[in-house]
């Protein structure tokens, strides 16, 4: 017998409720519902409210402006991070990012679109200043989620990007030459001694003011939610300074450097990618929020997991705590957000009241090296 529209809606709702209850019965927490209207907001690592690439707006300001004008949220976020990717002053992202051990800038990026349930990423991409745009094309134009190395570059060329020979700036090249001069060229870790010399040289360069501590693993993550509750995220980076060529960090790995579930929220990361890869923290954070945790509590759970899993001596400071920084930027579908970090740090946000930099919630006081 045919059913009318009202009966169909009611029976569909009953079926959905039954399905949700049966999931709960099997121990799975129910998915959070996306609210009907949300105060839009864009959050990012603090470099998202610092660099302007000669323009007037920072990343979070640009993205927020576009979101409130009705632009697709992910496209708005990508336009925002493009400012930082193109600005040579940020030596941790895109053009002018600190190069790998061979002096070559290799870039990683991922994007996730909550409502469309699409994701794309590129890793070890050379010659393109804006890897986030290429990551988005992987999501839009292919059946895949991750392209790497030459394949990623060929894909970018085929999509119309100009491939440049070298993305170093005078600054990034000079810093690489300095690092090369100071280290044993054979900078791989001795598997027996787990020599920490390479790391000590980096910290020396930080102490001497040659390197910004935040740019060793520097990255930008940017997440946003529209008035309709549509949530997206993007992460883009030049990765670890002086990395072994081909090293891929957390940024392009879904669930590590970025994770978005359109009905729950988004999480992204900056800082030591290896610690995040081992623990897949962005996925963990979103799943914690699905179970009802606040953005801050979900982020703290991830930091505690990392601290518990950091046992190698070379990665611990004198207090027996992780000797590296790592930060998470967490946004739920209601527009509530938090920045959390292993040690004191800041993050950026932009809403109807404008852009600001605020302190993160830190797991430990002090600095990583203390
Ligand atoms: N979080 C950036 C990286 O480790 O590559």
């Amino acid at each position: 017998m045919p059913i009318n529209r009202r009966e169909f809606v009611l029976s569909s709702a009953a079926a959905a409720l039954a399905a949700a209850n049966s999931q709960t019965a099997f121990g799975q927490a129910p998915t959070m519902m996306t609210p009907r209207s949300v105060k839009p907001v864009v959050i990012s690592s603090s470099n998202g409210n610092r660099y302007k690439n000669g323009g007037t707006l920072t990343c979070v300001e640009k993205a927020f402006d576009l979101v409130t004008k009705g632009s697709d949220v992910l496209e708005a976020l990508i336009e925002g991070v493009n400012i930082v990717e193109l600005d040579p002053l940020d030596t941790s992202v895109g053009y002018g990012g600190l190069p790998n051990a061979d002096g070559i800038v290799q870039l990683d990026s991922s994007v996730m679109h909550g409502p469309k349930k699409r994701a794309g990423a590129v890793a070890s991409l050379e010659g393109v200043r804006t890897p986030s745009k290429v990551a988005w094309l992987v999501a839009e134009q292919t059946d895949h989620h991750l392209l790497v190395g030459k394949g990623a570059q060929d894909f970018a060329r085929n999509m119309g990007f100009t491939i440049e020979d070298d993305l170093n700036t005078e600054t990034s090249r000079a810093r690489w030459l300095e690092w090369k001069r100071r280290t044993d060229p054979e900078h791989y870790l001795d598997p027996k001694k787990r020599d920490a010399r390479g790391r000590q040289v980096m910290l020396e360069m930080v102490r001497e003011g040659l390197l910004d501590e935040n740019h060793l693993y520097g990255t930008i993550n940017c997440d946003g939610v529209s008035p309709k509750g549509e949530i997206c995220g993007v992460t883009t980076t030049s990765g670890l300074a002086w990395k072994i060529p081909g090293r891929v960090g957390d940024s392009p790995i879904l669930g590590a450097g970025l994770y978005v579930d359109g009905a729950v929220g988004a999480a992204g990361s900056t800082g030591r990618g290896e610690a995040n890869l081992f623990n897949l923290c962005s996925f963990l954070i979103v799943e914690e929020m699905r179970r009802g945790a606040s953005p801050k509590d979900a982020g703290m759970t991830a930091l505690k997991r990392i601290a518990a899993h950091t046992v190698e001596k070379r990665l611990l400071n004198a207090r027996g705590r992780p000797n590296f920084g790592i930060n998470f930027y967490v946004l739920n579908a209601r527009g509530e957000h938090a920045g959390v970090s292993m040690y004191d740090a800041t993050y950026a946000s932009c809403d109807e009241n404008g852009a600001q930099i605020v302190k993160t919630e830190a797991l430990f006081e002090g600095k990583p090296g203390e």
Side-chain angles (χ1 to χ4, degrees), residues 108 217-219 237-240 247 249-251 269-274:
D108 299 337
Y217 292 97
T219 300
T237 189
S238 53
L240 172 65
R247 176 265 190 190
D250 58 329
S251 303
S269 178
T270 61
R272 181 176 160 78
E274 280 70 12

Side-chain angles (χ1 to χ4, degrees), residues 344-358:
D344 293 343
T346 54
Y347 79 110
S349 67
C350 189
D351 60 17
E352 60 192 353
N353 300 315
Q356 58 173 339
I357 297 270
V358 283

Side-chain angles (χ1 to χ4, degrees), residues 41-43 72-78 111-118 136 221-226 229-234 258-262 265-267 331:
V41 65
V42 171
I43 65 168
D72 176 84
V73 179
L74 185 53
E75 284 173 22
L77 300 179
I78 292 172
V111 301
M112 289 187 81
H113 197 294
K116 290 185 179 172
K117 305 226 176 290
R118 285 197 202 149
W136 176 229
N221 162 251
C222 185
D223 311 292
V225 63
S226 73
E230 297 157 327
I231 190 158
C232 296
V234 53
L258 177 68
Y259 196 72
V260 177
D261 184 319
L331 176 64

